[in-house]
Amino acid sequence: MTIQAQWDKFVEKCLSCQACELAESRRNVVVWRGGIKAPLMILGEGPDADEDRLGIPFVGRSGKLLDLLLSSFRLSKDDYHICNIVKCRPPGNRVPTREEAAQCRALLSEQLRLVRPTVYLLMGGTAYKYFTGSDEGITRVRGQWIETNNCYVMPTFHPAYVLRDPRNKPLLWQDFAAVRKKLEELSFLPPLRADDDCGI
Ligand code: SF4
């Protein structure tokens, strides 16, 4: 089976998933945007109202900030794969429960096997907590690499948090710069040119 066919089959499975109660109130199952094979996995918490409406992750104000980061650091669509810990919107944008995250983990694990990323950017405390199993606060762990199974995991702030408190913007940029550098060191990307302005 081709990679595209495997991916299409996986997406079909996600779209029909009823494994947790979030299926009852969702408008769309939000699976991904970006490349279906990509060295960088960007992981958020769960779909908000805009993502639920359009079926695409990170499309609202947070998405615009993420897109600014991606373009500032010269990452193109095939360099990254964006998804969330849960694929259906928790009502009222509440944090997904541990049970919901656990139910959706099976799909996320299958997604990771297909995408095969080497570098992970965990955006926000919830993504960090449910992905790593650690309860440490995001402000304590952000900006520090976690190496596991030949992969590199960078926790950072969620763009929505930075929009609420712009004083944290330089830290988000700093973490993204570290991710870009790691992708270069691993030969997934060429070095940035000296005249590239990443807005740091
Ligand atoms: S959140 Fe995940 S596990 Fe729950 S219904 Fe949606 S796709 Fe299935």
Side-chain angles (χ1 to χ4, degrees), residues 132-166:
T132 64
S134 166
D135 280 327
E136 274 200 277
I138 192 70
T139 45
R140 282 180 65 89
V141 297
R142 63 136 289 277
Q144 299 169 49
W145 285 110
I146 303 163
E147 286 188 40
T148 174
N149 298 327
N150 294 321
C151 290
Y152 301 85
V153 181
M154 170 63 76
T156 192
F157 295 130
H158 193 283
Y161 175 70
V162 170
L163 286 168
R164 285 196 302 274
D165 187 351

Coordinates of all heavy atoms in Angstrom, one line a residue, residues 132-166:
T132 N 4.0 13.5 27.5 CA 5.2 12.9 28.2 C 4.7 12.1 29.5 O 5.5 11.3 30.0 CB 6.1 14.0 28.7 OG1 5.5 14.8 29.6 CG2 6.7 14.8 27.5
G133 N 3.5 12.4 30.0 CA 3.1 11.8 31.2 C 3.6 12.5 32.5 O 3.3 12.1 33.6
S134 N 4.3 13.7 32.3 CA 4.8 14.4 33.4 C 3.8 15.5 33.8 O 3.2 16.1 33.0 CB 6.2 15.1 33.0 OG 6.5 16.0 34.0
D135 N 3.8 15.8 35.1 CA 2.9 16.9 35.6 C 3.7 18.2 35.9 O 3.1 19.1 36.4 CB 2.2 16.4 36.9 CG 1.1 15.5 36.7 OD1 0.4 15.7 35.6 OD2 0.8 14.6 37.5
E136 N 4.9 18.2 35.5 CA 5.7 19.5 35.7 C 5.1 20.6 34.9 O 4.6 20.4 33.8 CB 7.1 19.3 35.2 CG 8.0 18.7 36.4 CD 9.4 19.0 36.1 OE1 10.0 18.2 35.3 OE2 10.0 19.9 36.7
G137 N 5.1 21.8 35.4 CA 4.5 23.0 34.7 C 5.4 23.4 33.5 O 6.6 23.2 33.5
I138 N 4.7 23.9 32.5 CA 5.3 24.2 31.2 C 6.4 25.3 31.4 O 7.4 25.3 30.7 CB 4.3 24.6 30.2 CG1 4.9 24.7 28.8 CG2 3.6 25.9 30.5 CD1 5.3 23.4 28.2
T139 N 6.2 26.2 32.4 CA 7.1 27.3 32.5 C 8.5 26.8 33.1 O 9.5 27.3 32.8 CB 6.6 28.4 33.5 OG1 6.0 27.8 34.6 CG2 5.6 29.3 32.8
R140 N 8.4 25.6 33.8 CA 9.7 25.0 34.3 C 10.4 24.3 33.2 O 11.6 24.2 33.2 CB 9.3 24.0 35.4 CG 9.0 24.7 36.7 CD 8.7 23.7 37.8 NE 9.9 22.8 38.1 CZ 10.8 23.1 39.0 NH1 10.7 24.2 39.7 NH2 11.8 22.3 39.2
V141 N 9.7 23.6 32.3 CA 10.3 22.7 31.3 C 10.5 23.3 29.9 O 11.3 22.7 29.2 CB 9.5 21.4 31.2 CG1 9.5 20.7 32.6 CG2 8.1 21.6 30.7
R142 N 9.9 24.4 29.6 CA 10.0 24.9 28.3 C 11.4 25.2 27.9 O 12.2 25.6 28.8 CB 9.1 26.1 28.0 CG 9.4 27.3 28.9 CD 9.3 28.6 28.0 NE 10.4 28.7 27.1 CZ 11.7 29.2 27.5 NH1 11.9 29.5 28.7 NH2 12.6 29.2 26.5
G143 N 11.8 25.1 26.7 CA 13.1 25.5 26.2 C 14.2 24.4 26.5 O 15.3 24.6 26.1
Q144 N 13.8 23.3 27.1 CA 14.8 22.2 27.4 C 14.5 21.0 26.6 O 13.4 20.5 26.6 CB 14.7 21.9 28.8 CG 15.1 23.1 29.7 CD 14.8 22.8 31.2 OE1 15.2 21.7 31.7 NE2 14.0 23.6 31.9
W145 N 15.5 20.5 25.8 CA 15.3 19.3 25.0 C 15.1 18.1 25.9 O 15.8 17.9 26.9 CB 16.5 19.1 24.1 CG 16.6 20.0 22.9 CD1 17.5 21.0 22.7 CD2 15.7 20.0 21.8 NE1 17.2 21.6 21.6 CE2 16.1 21.1 21.0 CE3 14.6 19.2 21.4 CZ2 15.5 21.3 19.7 CZ3 14.0 19.5 20.2 CH2 14.4 20.6 19.4
I146 N 14.2 17.2 25.4 CA 14.1 15.9 26.0 C 14.5 14.9 24.9 O 13.9 15.0 23.8 CB 12.6 15.6 26.4 CG1 12.1 16.6 27.4 CG2 12.5 14.2 27.0 CD1 10.6 16.7 27.6
E147 N 15.5 14.1 25.1 CA 15.9 13.1 24.1 C 15.3 11.7 24.5 O 15.5 11.2 25.6 CB 17.4 13.0 24.0 CG 18.0 14.2 23.4 CD 19.5 14.1 23.1 OE1 19.9 13.0 22.7 OE2 20.2 15.1 23.4
T148 N 14.6 11.1 23.5 CA 14.0 9.8 23.8 C 13.9 9.0 22.5 O 13.4 9.6 21.5 CB 12.7 9.9 24.5 OG1 12.1 8.7 24.6 CG2 11.7 10.9 23.8
N149 N 14.3 7.8 22.5 CA 14.2 6.9 21.3 C 14.7 7.6 20.0 O 14.0 7.5 19.0 CB 12.8 6.5 21.1 CG 12.3 5.6 22.3 OD1 13.0 4.9 22.9 ND2 11.0 5.8 22.6
N150 N 15.9 8.2 20.1 CA 16.4 8.9 18.9 C 15.5 10.0 18.4 O 15.6 10.4 17.2 CB 16.7 7.9 17.8 CG 17.8 7.0 18.1 OD1 18.8 7.3 18.8 ND2 17.6 5.7 17.7
C151 N 14.7 10.6 19.3 CA 13.8 11.7 18.9 C 14.2 12.8 19.9 O 14.7 12.6 21.0 CB 12.4 11.4 19.0 SG 11.8 10.2 17.7
Y152 N 13.8 14.0 19.5 CA 14.1 15.2 20.3 C 12.8 16.0 20.5 O 12.1 16.3 19.5 CB 15.1 16.1 19.5 CG 16.4 15.4 19.2 CD1 16.5 14.6 18.1 CD2 17.5 15.5 20.1 CE1 17.7 13.9 17.8 CE2 18.6 14.8 19.8 CZ 18.7 14.0 18.7 OH 19.9 13.3 18.5
V153 N 12.5 16.2 21.8 CA 11.2 16.8 22.1 C 11.4 18.2 22.8 O 12.2 18.2 23.8 CB 10.4 15.9 23.1 CG1 9.1 16.5 23.5 CG2 10.3 14.5 22.5
M154 N 10.8 19.2 22.3 CA 10.9 20.5 22.8 C 9.6 21.0 23.3 O 8.7 21.2 22.5 CB 11.4 21.5 21.7 CG 11.4 23.0 22.1 SD 12.4 23.4 23.5 CE 14.1 23.4 22.8
P155 N 9.4 21.2 24.6 CA 8.2 21.8 25.1 C 8.3 23.3 25.1 O 9.3 23.9 25.3 CB 8.1 21.3 26.6 CG 9.4 20.5 26.9 CD 10.3 20.8 25.7
T156 N 7.2 23.9 24.7 CA 7.1 25.4 24.7 C 5.7 25.9 25.0 O 4.8 25.1 25.3 CB 7.6 26.0 23.3 OG1 7.8 27.4 23.4 CG2 6.6 25.7 22.2
F157 N 5.6 27.2 25.0 CA 4.3 27.8 25.3 C 3.3 27.5 24.1 O 3.7 27.5 23.0 CB 4.4 29.3 25.6 CG 5.1 29.6 26.8 CD1 6.2 30.6 26.8 CD2 4.8 29.0 28.0 CE1 6.9 30.9 27.9 CE2 5.6 29.3 29.2 CZ 6.6 30.3 29.1
H158 N 2.0 27.5 24.5 CA 1.0 27.5 23.4 C 0.8 28.9 22.9 O 0.9 29.9 23.7 CB -0.4 27.0 24.0 CG -1.4 26.7 23.0 ND1 -2.0 27.6 22.3 CD2 -1.8 25.5 22.5 CE1 -2.9 27.0 21.4 NE2 -2.7 25.7 21.5
P159 N 0.7 29.1 21.6 CA 0.5 30.4 21.0 C -0.6 31.2 21.7 O -0.5 32.4 21.9 CB 0.2 30.2 19.6 CG 0.8 28.8 19.3 CD 0.7 28.0 20.5
A160 N -1.7 30.5 22.1 CA -2.8 31.2 22.8 C -2.3 31.9 24.1 O -2.8 33.0 24.4 CB -4.0 30.3 23.1
Y161 N -1.4 31.2 24.8 CA -0.9 31.8 26.0 C -0.1 33.0 25.7 O -0.1 34.0 26.4 CB -0.1 30.7 26.7 CG 0.6 31.1 28.0 CD1 -0.1 31.4 29.1 CD2 2.0 31.2 28.0 CE1 0.6 31.8 30.3 CE2 2.7 31.6 29.1 CZ 2.0 31.9 30.3 OH 2.6 32.3 31.4
V162 N 0.7 32.9 24.7 CA 1.6 34.1 24.3 C 0.7 35.2 23.8 O 1.1 36.4 24.1 CB 2.6 33.6 23.2 CG1 3.3 34.8 22.6 CG2 3.6 32.6 23.8
L163 N -0.4 35.0 23.2 CA -1.3 36.0 22.8 C -1.9 36.7 24.0 O -2.1 37.9 24.0 CB -2.4 35.5 21.8 CG -1.9 35.1 20.4 CD1 -3.0 34.3 19.7 CD2 -1.6 36.4 19.6
R164 N -2.2 35.9 25.0 CA -2.7 36.5 26.3 C -1.7 37.3 27.0 O -2.0 38.3 27.7 CB -3.3 35.4 27.2 CG -4.6 34.9 26.7 CD -5.3 34.1 27.8 NE -4.6 33.0 28.3 CZ -4.5 31.8 27.8 NH1 -5.3 31.5 26.7 NH2 -3.8 30.8 28.3
D165 N -0.4 36.9 27.0 CA 0.7 37.5 27.7 C 1.9 37.7 26.8 O 2.8 36.8 26.8 CB 1.0 36.7 28.9 CG 2.0 37.4 29.8 OD1 2.5 38.5 29.4 OD2 2.3 36.9 30.9
P166 N 1.9 38.7 25.9 CA 2.9 38.9 24.9 C 4.3 39.0 25.5 O 5.3 38.9 24.7 CB 2.5 40.2 24.2 CG 1.1 40.4 24.5 CD 0.9 39.8 25.9

